[in-house]
Amino acid sequence: MEKETDHEESIKLSEAQDYKGWSPEEVALYVIQHIPIPQKEQRIKIICDTFRQKNMNGERLQQISKSEWDEFITRDVAHYFTLPPAEHQRGVNHPVVNTIIDIHSKLFDCRSGIWFTALQFFKRMHSYDAVYNDEEGIWCHDRGGRPYFNPGSWRRYGFYPQLEGETKEQVDEIMSTWHVAYHGTKFINVNSIVQYGLVPPDTEVGGVKIVNQRGKAGTIGSKIPVYVSPSILYASHWCYTQPHIEKDTYIYCVFQVRVRPGSFRVQGNTLWSGGWPDKSVIYDERFGPDELEWLVEDASDLRVTGLMVRKSKVNPEQFFKDLYAKHKKQTETPRGTGKGVWKWNSSPADGKTLDPNGPFSDYEEKTNAKLEKAYMNWQAVCYLGNVETDTGINPYFVDFNKMEQIRCDNNKLRRAIKREVVK
């Protein structure tokens, strides 16, 4: 029986090194680190041989174009990978293949010298790296009973959030059941957070007291919480991130975190009037304006799982001004009239579930109220949580633009929905 090897521990190649001197085998092993499941020794040998045959060493990797690297991976290499099942098929390629294709750009970015170097707090986990884009459309995972939507146009540098004394099983439980949220920060703070984690203001780490940079909105008593958001768009607001400028490019840094269920309070948009003039105007079309901030008081209820990075040519202040103007104009027109009753196509799972003619069943009262509120707020989507259908109880979300109910763990399972006005 062929032995399976986890090269995440054994290979010490990282973005912090100058990869120009890497041999074809080292480039291949670096690529293999990005696959979430161990690869058999024989398969690793075949992949390394392919890199050698094409002389795909570090120097050549620096010289070729992104399209040439893309072609090499998809044509010559990808079919050798043993890949995990994709929770969502996001475009033509498997998500892991897309992450490997992004290696060309990621290494080029890391060579610029602006990236983090302190990796002492959490272990760098290349197999948790990912690259996202808006073209994937809207997809949603369920994480502990709350939604994790497609971040869109961000790259994730992954970390394994294991603390001293914890078992792999305990960390796996955190990754599967804790909620996903984001914390925007200035670039200058990245190394400190990677090294020590997210901690409340006034905490002393590394001999330095953490200074409050967020205000005290929603604070109870004297202890100032850590502010995170389920919306990466909200967490990346320029007042939180103050994007780093490199030539004509703005670079946003946001930490992806896991949050222990039940450990936080929820409140709405608290940006000052210069950052978002009217708090009732939808900020992120995936969330209501009253659920954008989570207040976490105990640092043990947070784990940093990734550094999210996005590059843009657009001035950050102008971007958010334009976003506000767009949403303000949109919400000036009522989305619907009267009181809506929401219904879902209740055909058998193997039937015509997208048939606009039904049959339809009413949502239960609480879910109907949630849908109506989200719809009238001009949300594009609404996370429903668990819904019972003929296939059992599973987590779903609704896409109002497509008027479909979509299962979170399998976006091919869809049902038509409709809104009827009560006369």
Side-chain angles (χ1 to χ4, degrees), residues 48-97:
C48 288
D49 286 345
T50 303
F51 276 74
R52 276 193 291 267
Q53 290 165 10
K54 298 293 183 179
N55 194 31
M56 191 58 72
N57 56 25
E59 184 174 7
R60 187 172 176 214
L61 181 54
Q62 285 191 9
Q63 293 172 349
I64 64 173
S65 66
K66 186 179 186 302
S67 61
E68 289 175 301
W69 172 256
D70 185 332
E71 183 180 4
F72 170 65
I73 293 298
T74 55
R75 183 191 62 195
D76 299 326
V77 181
H79 56 280
Y80 293 125
F81 297 146
T82 300
L83 300 174
E87 195 165 6
H88 293 288
Q89 187 58 43
R90 295 159 23 200
V92 177
N93 297 321
H94 189 286
V96 173
V97 175

Side-chain angles (χ1 to χ4, degrees), residues 193-227:
I193 294 174
V194 170
Q195 187 172 1
Y196 300 110
L198 276 172
V199 296
D202 296 332
T203 303
E204 188 170 304
V205 292
V208 178
K209 182 177 284 190
I210 302 299
V211 178
N212 177 31
Q213 300 176 347
R214 295 293 184 100
K216 301 180 180 181
T219 298
I220 297 176
S222 59
K223 188 172 184 179
I224 302 172
V226 175
Y227 293 87

Side-chain angles (χ1 to χ4, degrees), residues 344-362:
W344 56 279
N345 184 310
S346 53
S347 299
D350 58 356
K352 297 181 178 180
T353 59
L354 291 176
D355 190 336
N357 296 314
F360 284 92
S361 296
D362 291 356

Side-chain angles (χ1 to χ4, degrees), residues 14-32:
S14 76
E15 301 89 358
Q17 297 174 313
D18 182 0
Y19 63 96
K20 185 177 180 179
W22 290 358
S23 68
E25 183 181 44
E26 287 176 315
V27 176
L29 293 176
Y30 178 74
V31 166
I32 291 168

